[in-house]
Amino acid sequence: MQIIADIVLSSNTVFTGVEDKPKKAMIAIKENKIVAIGSEAEVASFINSETKRYDFKDELIMAGFNDFHIHLTVGCLTEHFANLSNATSEQEAVELLKNFYEEKGNGECDKNQWILGFNWHHVFWERPELPHRSSLDEVYPNQPVCLLNSDLHGVWLNSKGLEVLGITHETPDPPYGKIIKDEDGNPTGVLDETAIRLAKSALNIPLEQHACMFQGFLEKAAKYGVTSVGDMLYLPGFDIGYLENYEEFEKQGTLTVRIDFLSALNGDLDYVKQLRDKYKSGKLKFSGLKQFLDGVPATYTAYLHGTYYDNPKTNGDTLIPPDVVKKWITDADKAGFRVRLHACGDGAIRLALDSYDLAKKRNGSRDSRHTIEHVETVTTDDLDRFSELGVIASMQPDHIALFKTFAENTYPSRLGPERAPYWPIKTLMDHGAYLAFGSDYPVVSLNPMYGVYRAVTRLHNDGEPKGGWFPEEKVSLADTLRAYTLGGAYGNFREAELGTLEVGKLADIVVLNQNLFNIDPEEILNTEVKLTIVDGEVVYERASKASLMG
């Protein structure tokens, strides 16, 4: 019996991901799968009067974006509460916080309600010094305040917040974290790395409130053509996620993005075995274990192979002792878990590779697809080890321009010329590494166009440096789109059903309003999504001139 498609898409520019260039084609979808791709003549037999047809002329049709690295819950919170990313000083951050809550109508909210804010970062301020609780106390003397910074590695509290959390001069630093204290031993209000676990209760949002925020995220993802996400879930020291809500959305048929989530690598495998057994559907799936090996170069917390270029007194440090990391990974690998490790510095990256290598030697070789996150600077000796060990490089191209201008970028001064190029995407590809792209939302925007633009231009927002930062590391548009689609699918063991447009694969498809292969790179940032399909269902449609028939 002839299959009749529910939806047929056509365009002069269809990028399947199998070829390097787009082609003229039609795509037939039945229920949640692609049943045909080809010319009009080849697809005609799949169409009848009940088939909904979309003709997109020269707009680009491609596989849905798979953002391999986001922090979903923190992203929801960031969208809902005060965003402090535009602050240029400590006082301006406090003023932005105050204005947000006054405009929101909660300036005089219940005394037990936390004042929450996100995305401050002192390294971007005119005076790059850590903030103090006293500046928050001036505005909020009686309400607890908790502000998570933009790299998700630090928290800024006021005195009331410290009091509610029970943090005093006697509170010891947790393992691999630090409570910043003044010369008298009193907490300044800043918690660093795993010490942010002490503020976990401040970020606990009622399920009903989170559900509303999560719905907002789903709408944003659909608008940006993001059909799958890798939810890192884990922050230093604690899991933070709302699996119950994700599960309820799936049961109601309203989960419009695929979520592959991770939990903490901490030596305890009993809990995560339960997660692995429970969450394994096509929409909500446990994906593995995550841990932080180091911090970030901007704050000298990335672990380097050798000292910092502008601070020869330190090379950073690992957040967890190397012998502990290796044992945890070996045990997890033996139990069949995949591991993803945050490692920015070349020292941390080597530790990650050594740990995966040790696990392979002790447990035997398997298709583990262990992963290293960020990979910002790699020693030459370690480049080939990614492909040799089958380790995925999970990279976020928009991180190249985390600083507003190239002149403000601290990486050259922190890391020095010998560690260049930073974010060596093309070099890793040339050495056979498998790449998966993501955003690290909400550290940067969820919009994939920013990552695509960064990967192909290597430019900051001010257009500098001319020709691109380490232009030899530019990636072709085709390879960029594959890393942002097939890369994440492969990273989650789903390349057989997602990541490219092929017959038999799940119908996760996005249509852009222009052909990325035929525009000036600067126009990439102006590209918008016209249609998003997840699991064969249209989840976003933008008013357009595309003809709709049937």
Side-chain angles (χ1 to χ4, degrees):
M1 182 179 292
Q2 176 60 44
I3 297 173
I4 300 301
D6 300 315
I7 297 174
V8 167
L9 312 174
S10 67
S11 174
N12 294 322
T13 53
V14 175
F15 179 68
T16 65
V18 179
E19 301 95 356
D20 285 338
K21 297 289 184 181
K23 62 183 181 181
K24 183 176 182 178
M26 299 183 77
I27 303 169
I29 300 167
K30 178 65 175 179
E31 295 179 349
N32 69 338
K33 290 188 177 181
I34 298 172
V35 294
I37 300 179
S39 66
E40 185 173 358
E42 291 169 326
V43 179
S45 63
F46 292 85
I47 302 172
N48 71 8
S49 60
E50 299 299 316
T51 302
K52 182 176 285 190
R53 293 183 57 183
Y54 295 86
D55 178 12
F56 286 102
K57 306 301 182 185
D58 295 322
E59 294 96 333
L60 185 68
I61 300 177
M62 57 177 285
F65 287 101
N66 189 324
D67 192 326
F68 195 52
H69 185 126
I70 75 166
H71 301 273
L72 205 165
T73 294
V74 177
C76 290
L77 295 172
T78 300
E79 298 286 349
H80 187 76
F81 294 101
N83 186 341
L84 310 177
S85 60
N86 290 327
T88 60
S89 68
E90 178 177 353
Q91 288 302 322
E92 188 174 1
V94 175
E95 191 66 22
L96 287 173
L97 183 70
K98 177 176 178 287
N99 291 342
F100 173 84
Y101 275 91
E102 287 181 348
E103 292 173 9
K104 190 180 179 184
N106 288 343
E108 297 297 329
C109 52
D110 186 274
K111 291 185 178 180
N112 294 321
Q113 181 177 342
W114 281 90
I115 298 294
L116 298 179
F118 297 85
N119 282 344
W120 64 274
H121 208 339
H122 68 286
V123 299
F124 300 144
W125 293 346
E126 294 171 354
R127 293 181 59 190
E129 300 173 355
L130 286 171
H132 194 272
R133 54 184 162 77
S134 58
S135 56
L136 293 172
D137 293 345
E138 292 177 9
V139 178
Y140 296 105
N142 300 313
Q143 293 171 263
V145 178
C146 178
L147 310 177
L148 188 65
N149 77 355
S150 63
D151 65 20
L152 310 182
H153 288 243
V155 160
W156 174 18
L157 303 162
N158 67 344
S159 295
K160 188 64 176 181
L162 290 169
E163 176 189 329
V164 170
L165 296 173
I167 300 172
T168 70
H169 67 283
E170 296 179 345
T171 306
D173 290 337
Y176 327 125
K178 189 173 184 62
I179 301 169
I180 306 300
K181 297 178 179 178
D182 60 24
E183 57 186 14
D184 296 322
N186 296 313
T188 65
V190 175
L191 311 179
D192 196 32
E193 299 297 348
T194 61
I196 71 173
R197 71 191 306 176
L198 300 174
K200 179 180 179 179
S201 62
L203 300 176
N204 283 339
I205 304 298
L207 281 174
E208 297 79 6
Q209 187 178 7
H210 174 267
C212 180
M213 294 187 231
F214 182 54
Q215 180 59 47
F217 169 82
L218 294 177
E219 293 170 3
K220 178 185 287 287
K223 179 182 177 181
Y224 288 148
V226 176
T227 57
S228 295
V229 297
D231 183 10
M232 306 312 286
L233 197 66
Y234 176 68
L235 291 177
F238 56 86
D239 277 322
I240 177 168
Y242 289 80
L243 292 174
E244 304 98 320
N245 270 345
Y246 305 160
E247 192 173 10
E248 184 60 28
F249 271 72
E250 183 181 24
K251 288 178 181 177
Q252 297 297 325
T254 54
L255 185 58
T256 55
V257 68
R258 301 181 194 276
I259 301 174
D260 294 276
F261 70 90
L262 297 100
S263 188
L265 171 73
N266 57 16
D268 179 7
L269 299 179
D270 291 336
Y271 170 64
V272 292
K273 285 179 180 178
Q274 295 175 29
L275 292 179
R276 181 171 63 180
D277 292 340
K278 181 177 181 180
Y279 296 101
K280 48 188 176 183
S281 75
K283 286 283 192 73
L284 182 58
K285 189 175 184 179
F286 173 79
S287 176
L289 305 177
K290 162 79 185 294
Q291 188 50 264
F292 287 73
L293 294 190
D294 66 349
V296 293
T299 55
Y300 300 101
T301 54
Y303 179 51
L304 300 183
H305 183 67
T307 62
Y308 277 84
Y309 187 70
D310 61 351
N311 188 356
K313 294 182 179 180
T314 183
N315 64 331
D317 202 356
T318 58
L319 296 179
I320 302 171
D323 58 334
V324 174
V325 170
K326 291 177 180 178
K327 183 181 188 311
W328 285 356
I329 291 174
T330 299
D331 291 347
D333 178 80
K334 186 176 181 179
F337 289 98
R338 72 90 62 81
V339 176
R340 296 174 64 173
L341 297 172
H342 168 115
C344 290
D346 50 13
I349 292 167
R350 176 163 295 181
L351 172 58
L353 292 168
D354 288 348
S355 300
Y356 292 150
D357 191 15
L358 178 63
K360 181 178 180 180
K361 289 175 180 176
R362 291 190 175 175
N363 300 329
S365 181
R366 68 181 182 92
D367 185 14
S368 59
R369 305 193 191 182
H370 294 317
T371 303
I372 300 178
E373 306 295 324
H374 307 308
V375 198
E376 295 180 354
T377 175
V378 187
T379 61
T380 302
D381 292 343
D382 287 332
L383 289 170
D384 286 328
R385 299 181 69 196
F386 281 83
S387 61
E388 291 169 356
L389 295 171
V391 172
I392 297 170
S394 170
M395 303 183 76
Q396 301 73 41
D398 201 24
H399 280 192
I400 293 170
L402 276 178
F403 294 81
K404 295 178 181 178
T405 67
F406 180 63
E408 296 175 80
N409 196 313
T410 62
Y411 275 70
S413 60
R414 295 286 189 274
L415 300 178
E418 292 185 1
R419 291 193 177 91
Y422 320 127
W423 290 280
I425 300 174
K426 185 65 165 59
T427 296
L428 283 164
M429 289 181 64
D430 290 343
H431 282 261
Y434 203 97
L435 267 69
F437 282 171
S439 63
D440 204 11
Y441 170 80
V443 175
V444 298
S445 171
L446 185 67
N447 186 350
M449 290 303 121
Y450 287 98
V452 172
Y453 174 75
R454 256 17 122 182
V456 301
T457 68
R458 304 282 300 196
L459 293 173
H460 286 60
N461 289 337
D462 60 354
E464 297 293 336
K466 301 302 181 185
W469 195 25
F470 306 110
E472 69 277 8
E473 296 299 331
K474 293 179 184 178
V475 186
S476 73
L477 179 59
D479 283 336
T480 296
L481 295 181
R482 275 192 284 263
Y484 231 132
T485 52
L486 183 59
Y490 177 85
N492 285 317
F493 297 88
R494 306 191 71 176
E495 73 276 13
E497 56 183 357
L498 294 168
T500 56
L501 301 181
E502 298 180 76
V503 172
K505 287 197 171 185
L506 295 172
D508 288 8
I509 300 172
V510 61
V511 182
L512 306 180
N513 70 340
Q514 54 187 343
N515 177 12
L516 296 179
F517 289 84
N518 195 34
I519 60 174
D520 186 285
E522 294 301 319
E523 284 299 307
I524 293 174
L525 294 177
N526 298 323
T527 302
E528 297 180 343
V529 170
K530 297 186 75 170
L531 187 78
T532 302
I533 296 175
V534 177
D535 215 35
E537 299 285 339
V538 174
V539 299
Y540 174 79
E541 186 171 1
R542 175 173 166 264
S544 69
K545 296 179 181 179
S547 62
L548 172 61
M549 298 172 284

